[in-house]
Amino acid sequence: MRTRCYVDRCSIVSCPIGEIPARVDYYSQQSELKETKKLFPDYKEIYSEVQQINLQRLKKSWERWLIPDKSGKRGGKPRFKKVGFLRSFGFSRVNHAKAAIKFDGKNIITTRIGIIPVVVHRPIPNGFVIKTATIIKKADGWYVAFSLKDDSVPELIPVEQIKTGVGIDVGLKELAVTSSGETFPFKRFYRNAQAQLATSQRRLSRKQKRSKNYLKQLNRVQRIHQKIQRQRKEQHYKIAHSLVDRYDLIAVEDLNIKGLARTPLGKSILDAGWGGFLTILEAVAVKRGVHFVKVSAYRTTQECSTCGAIVPKDLSIRTHECPKCNTVLDRDENAAINILNRALNEAGIVLSAWVGLVDRQPLKQETSKTEKYIQLSLF
Ligand SMILES: [Zn+2]
């Protein structure tokens, strides 16, 4: 603003522009919090810790937008939070002498609101320290989420002890198909609930905005969404555990889900919830010390898993039939085998045999000249 002036009043050669104000950032806002409280007395009611965390969140979202990550991608532009859109707030310490919030195993004890009894879904596991707390408003009530810290890092299974591996291809027909031919079918939670959701949403649109009945109906809509999310998450956890129980190494495709969602199949892709599934699978695997490998998704469907020939096929072709080596496999199973092979190649592991592939010579060993392999056996 200070540099603005009329075109005809400014010297063409040079013009003092005055002091350029320092850029507003997290630190300046942080030190101005006291001032903010004077200007807006309502802010006195809010824990200063919560205010600081909100500034930190703002800083993070600015950085996500401005600074590209390793792959050169940037996050979306931070949006202004309208009334009702900020549904959670955080505390940076719990059970600390000066902390505003404490947890005794049954109650949340806050300095201002008092004692709030909580339903404990899961007891805090032994050896963990509660670091932060976030209070979240969800459709069916208020929740508190603790972040816990445990210094013992789960140990990865040593490479030479990897005996079983599995490749996983996520798809639209089945949620996942493994390299041993196992399929995990979809449960289309979203599509199933769509009719119900549509009715609820139509009712919502007839209500007077922000009225009591509007808010009630809004809550009904939100609860349907919440149910769908929970059903999906539960299914994902079940599959993840069943895989992690049986395999020492899990290989998946490195997918650009955001990019795929922009294609005509976007709705199905988001409904499939691959992103959530792969994240859960990774978390479960890491926790149990199972190797989790992401490989390039390039041509996993087209390549023949036996001989490496490229067999082009569009989405409608469900079987892989190789004209070169006569391999006939389910399309997704073929892709899953490719994914596993790539991961094993990358890690330099050869599984001499694994379920479903006992009689075949499964691995291409193109890179074997440069890589060191360890021979492993199931038997
Ligand atoms: Zn082939």
Side-chain angles (χ1 to χ4, degrees):
M1 288 301 164
R2 219 176 285 202
T3 59
R4 224 176 247 188
C5 60
Y6 295 104
V7 178
D8 60 338
R9 317 270 158 94
C10 188
S11 154
I12 292 169
V13 185
S14 69
C15 189
I17 56 169
E19 215 178 296
I20 297 168
R23 199 163 160 181
V24 177
D25 61 7
Y26 167 65
Y27 300 99
S28 70
Q29 284 181 304
Q30 170 94 320
S31 56
E32 279 165 9
L33 271 181
K34 261 190 186 163
E35 202 67 20
T36 313
K37 276 185 197 174
K38 274 184 207 155
L39 288 171
F40 305 95
D42 283 354
Y43 275 67
K44 282 184 197 155
E45 306 282 316
I46 310 168
Y47 288 106
S48 49
E49 219 179 307
V50 172
Q51 295 186 35
Q52 280 171 18
I53 288 198
N54 265 1
L55 290 177
Q56 284 166 17
R57 284 180 175 181
L58 182 64
K59 183 186 177 218
K60 266 188 202 161
S61 53
W62 274 110
E63 282 172 354
R64 260 201 299 273
W65 183 47
L66 295 171
I67 305 165
D69 65 3
K70 275 180 281 171
S71 52
K73 277 179 219 145
R74 296 187 307 172
K77 188 178 174 183
R79 282 182 297 175
F80 185 73
K81 289 265 187 286
K82 283 192 279 187
V83 171
F85 272 74
L86 193 70
R87 287 180 309 180
S88 67
F89 54 93
F91 293 89
S92 54
R93 51 192 179 183
V94 182
N95 288 350
H96 183 270
K98 283 182 182 170
I101 184 167
K102 287 178 183 163
F103 178 63
D104 66 358
K106 280 177 188 160
N107 305 293
I108 296 283
I109 303 147
T110 57
T111 48
R112 289 187 196 173
I113 307 166
I115 298 173
I116 310 160
V118 289
V119 180
V120 182
H121 295 254
R122 255 185 279 176
I124 308 290
N126 280 338
F128 282 83
V129 182
I130 304 177
K131 300 307 275 189
T132 67
T134 311
I135 311 258
I136 313 154
K137 190 185 184 208
K138 292 192 181 174
D140 61 347
W142 289 86
Y143 286 74
V144 57
F146 293 119
S147 73
L148 307 174
K149 196 183 168 203
D150 173 24
D151 290 325
S152 64
V153 180
E155 264 178 51
L156 266 180
I157 297 168
V159 174
E160 60 276 9
Q161 280 176 29
I162 296 178
K163 292 196 178 72
T164 49
V166 70
I168 289 155
D169 181 55
V170 289
L172 292 176
K173 201 167 157 269
E174 318 279 353
L175 170 62
V177 175
T178 71
S179 50
S180 44
E182 195 178 355
T183 56
F184 296 99
F186 258 122
K187 291 185 184 142
R188 291 180 192 264
F189 304 114
Y190 179 70
R191 300 221 163 193
N192 289 346
Q194 216 167 20
Q196 197 191 355
L197 203 55
T199 321
S200 271
Q201 253 152 359
R202 202 161 44 240
R203 278 191 198 137
L204 180 68
S205 67
R206 291 201 198 104
K207 305 263 189 275
Q208 176 82 37
K209 259 213 162 176
R210 302 264 163 90
S211 68
K212 224 171 178 182
N213 279 328
Y214 174 88
L215 294 176
K216 257 191 191 166
Q217 188 61 33
L218 180 67
N219 187 260
R220 284 192 197 111
V221 174
Q222 287 168 340
R223 275 168 191 254
I224 299 173
H225 281 297
Q226 191 181 33
K227 192 180 173 197
I228 300 168
Q229 276 170 16
R230 286 182 176 166
Q231 285 173 320
R232 193 178 286 161
K233 217 171 170 183
E234 196 203 342
Q235 190 204 9
H236 292 169
Y237 267 108
K238 273 187 183 159
I239 300 174
H241 278 289
S242 94
L243 289 168
V244 169
D245 280 344
R246 286 174 291 155
Y247 297 101
D248 302 331
L249 179 141
I250 292 172
V252 299
E253 280 173 292
D254 198 1
L255 292 169
N256 172 11
I257 287 159
K258 263 191 190 162
L260 290 169
R262 278 188 221 113
T263 60
L265 288 168
K267 199 176 187 181
S268 303
I269 286 168
L270 292 177
D271 191 14
W274 294 336
F277 172 57
L278 295 177
T279 313
I280 285 173
L281 185 58
E282 180 169 9
V284 173
V286 167
K287 204 170 143 197
R288 303 265 295 271
V290 166
H291 290 256
F292 185 84
V293 189
K294 281 184 183 172
V295 299
S296 154
Y298 181 67
R299 277 185 170 168
T300 42
T301 316
Q302 321 292 349
E303 225 173 81
C304 171
S305 57
T306 313
C307 71
I310 301 298
V311 189
K313 41 182 126 25
D314 62 33
L315 262 177
S316 62
I317 301 170
R318 301 307 314 168
T319 6
H320 164 78
E321 284 172 60
C322 181
K324 218 171 146 192
C325 68
N326 297 325
T327 299
V328 178
L329 268 174
D330 172 71
R331 165 207 178 91
D332 297 330
E333 195 182 336
N334 177 59
I337 296 170
N338 279 327
I339 292 165
L340 176 59
N341 285 351
R342 280 180 197 188
L344 295 175
N345 271 343
E346 256 171 46
I349 302 165
V350 175
L351 304 180
S352 66
W354 69 93
V355 190
L357 277 174
V358 182
D359 303 326
R360 259 180 257 155
Q361 281 297 310
L363 287 177
K364 289 186 293 152
Q365 297 191 8
E366 286 157 1
T367 48
S368 59
K369 282 162 215 148
T370 51
E371 300 258 19
K372 204 182 137 211
Y373 285 96
I374 304 151
Q375 186 76 29
L376 301 161
S377 172
L378 261 184
F379 306 107

